[in-house]
Amino acid sequence: MVVENKLETGREVPAVPTSARALTVVPLKYPGRWVLAIVILVLLALLVRAFVVADIDYSAVVEYLTVPGILEGVRNTLLLLLLSMALGLVLGVLTAVMRQSPNPVLRWVGGGYVWLFRGTPLLVQLLIWFNLAIIFNTFTIPGLVSMPMNALMTPFVAALLGLGINEGAYISEIVRGGILSVDHGQREAASAIGMPRAKIMRRIVLPQAMRVIIPPLGNEFIACLKFTSLAYTISFSELLHSANKIYTANFKVIELLFTVTIWYLALTTVFSVLQQMLEDRLGRSAPGSRPSFARRLRKNLALRRTA
Amino acid sequence: MSKQLIVHAEQVTKSFGDLEILKGIDLQVFRGEVLCIIGPSGSGKSTFLRCINHLEKIDGGRLSVNGSLVGYRQNGDRLYELKDKDVCRERANIGMVFQHFNLFGHKTALENVIEGPVQVKGISKKKATEQGMALLERVGLGSRAHAYPYAMSGGQQQRVAIARALAMEPQLMLFDEPTSSLDPELVGEVLDVMKDLASSGMTMVVVTHEMGFAREVADGIVFIDNGCVVERGQPHDVLGNPQEERTRAFLSAVL
């Protein structure tokens, strides 16, 4: 029997009969990928070389990582970060709930707060807080306290208020989005078993909103860590300000800025890992939840992989 | 012994904006009775059910459950709205099962069931867990106690939702189209639980499209159309020999 060996494309099937099993598939080569990869690696190497041969005292970069002045700055940066995020969280949740209120005045005040503090630069806000003493020389709550504004509005307090209140405006929007993402039926079901409104918010709505809130909140936390460096301008001795104090004395400007960079990177990395662990924990009640970050880390670090 | 009146609706009206949904509903449900409400979509039957436990506020008329006005206090010829706290106390005695289950997504089956007893009634967690497990066994889900809602089928979720409502030891159970969002093969398991509940003497008001269930289990059937009670009677009368033209038209469309 004669077999027509011509395919429709015109390519001929070899006349030599081979067993189909003996055929091997030859993958297509991508030489372009190799070329591109080599070009990029060369450029990177040149960049690294430029910094290596440059006039930078790298031993100083490492050395300054742990000097008391810098550690003090790290401590102050973390303190400012944690306290202003705490303040921001309280304000954010409060305004988010206010903006859902049946009371129009509460809704309006909540909306106005977000509008004002999201609509102006953080640096300007920090400077205003710091210079508040120019217009109000004394801080007074009738019958309770009365003190000179200068004594109250220290660089730390000004930085805390500036950062915290600004964060609150952003967090408010994040929390509001989270609350809106929870199906209305959840609230009805909770009402139907006789739960009061405040408890429904606390036990049913907010925990479920958390899954939506945590990822952007983590970003906000990391952004806030970097924004603490703005407090440098009102001479709060956070990390950047501490470095500045040292390099204005010894002129190792780039070295100290590198030291600071390493610290910021280390801190943001640690917080990213913590965020991941928190997300895993909150993801338990969702489909496609995976083992915890710690468990995956242990598994991947183990010498022999186990199932 | 006279029968105890559990749900008593008198001339209940309700509007959403300009749209009048309920145009004066009169209805009575006695202890131990199973009442099925049927009717075309948009007829107001679900809205009426939601008025019974004050998920919707009524605009006029009077609605009482077990002798107390739901969400209101009457003084002379005025009804005063009650505070959230007081409404909650009344709602706790009325169980409700929703079309879309509405299980708390961040809680396991058991946690869903004990949430009300622990948080609303203040029962100890240990005691609530024992009762909760018993309820889950009763709806055939003892083995799924620690599963999250996403990992359960619609039928299982709805049975957990029934257990959650029962955990509050309600005097009345409301069902809002409990099988309408289930796959056909899962409808039976939910109806079985409801039949079991009916035979245990629970007072139930069921908005449903399951005419077979209504025929078999209901003590009475109400046909609601366009915000009014059109016909009420024994299941075999309403379903088998409807008196009203609108009832006949509806039944011939669905049966």
Side-chain angles (χ1 to χ4, degrees), chain B residues 190-212:
Chain B
V190 172
L191 291 182
D192 285 344
V193 170
M194 290 170 63
K195 280 176 202 166
D196 174 59
L197 197 57
S199 63
S200 76
M202 176 62 75
T203 313
M204 295 161 63
V205 180
V206 186
V207 169
T208 189
H209 292 293
E210 293 292 332
M211 298 304 159

Side-chain angles (χ1 to χ4, degrees), chain A residues 113-307:
Chain A
Y113 162 71
V114 172
W115 171 76
L116 180 65
F117 286 94
R118 250 185 4 162
T120 49
L122 177 55
L123 189 50
V124 175
Q125 291 175 29
L126 282 175
L127 291 171
I128 290 178
W129 284 111
F130 188 54
N131 291 301
L132 217 54
I134 298 173
I135 46 168
F136 303 112
N137 6 9
T138 44
F139 175 78
T140 313
I141 300 175
L144 271 177
V145 255
S146 183
M147 62 194 295
M149 186 61 92
N150 267 328
L152 175 75
M153 202 53 77
T154 59
F156 176 70
V157 173
L160 175 60
L161 289 176
L163 275 171
I165 292 175
N166 183 266
E167 275 309 322
Y170 284 93
I171 292 173
S172 166
E173 286 297 277
I174 293 172
V175 173
R176 196 168 69 96
I179 290 175
L180 290 178
S181 76
V182 177
D183 181 49
H184 188 68
Q186 295 286 313
R187 254 171 267 212
E188 291 198 331
S191 298
I193 56 172
M195 261 199 195
R197 257 194 302 255
K199 210 168 218 179
I200 294 176
M201 187 52 86
R202 207 174 64 239
R203 290 200 51 93
I204 305 299
V205 177
L206 285 179
Q208 296 190 74
M210 279 315 239
R211 279 170 37 76
V212 181
I213 291 173
I214 287 295
L217 200 60
N219 292 341
E220 211 49 57
F221 201 85
I222 286 167
C224 185
L225 169 62
K226 292 179 290 179
F227 282 137
T228 55
S229 64
L230 288 178
Y232 159 78
T233 55
I234 55 172
S235 59
F236 172 62
S237 51
E238 44 69 60
L239 185 49
L240 182 58
H241 191 264
S242 310
N244 174 265
K245 259 191 295 192
I246 300 174
Y247 71 63
T248 45
N250 67 6
F251 302 112
K252 291 186 182 296
V253 179
I254 288 292
E255 284 81 356
L256 274 145
L257 287 176
F258 276 17
T259 304
V260 164
T261 305
I262 292 172
W263 264 112
Y264 279 123
L265 270 178
L267 292 176
T268 48
T269 308
V270 168
F271 288 130
S272 304
V273 170
L274 289 178
Q275 179 190 356
Q276 188 62 60
M277 286 164 81
L278 192 58
E279 276 177 39
D280 289 344
R281 201 182 135 66
L282 288 168
R284 282 175 311 174
S285 60
S289 56
R290 42 183 197 165
S292 75
F293 181 84
R295 186 176 295 174
R296 273 179 287 138
L297 190 68
R298 274 199 300 277
K299 190 178 148 193
N300 286 328
L301 289 179
L303 287 178
R304 206 180 309 160
R305 295 207 171 194
T306 48

Side-chain angles (χ1 to χ4, degrees), chain A residues 25-38:
Chain A
V25 176
V26 182
L28 180 60
K29 301 266 191 294
Y30 295 96
R33 285 182 189 173
W34 286 95
V35 174
L36 192 62
I38 288 165

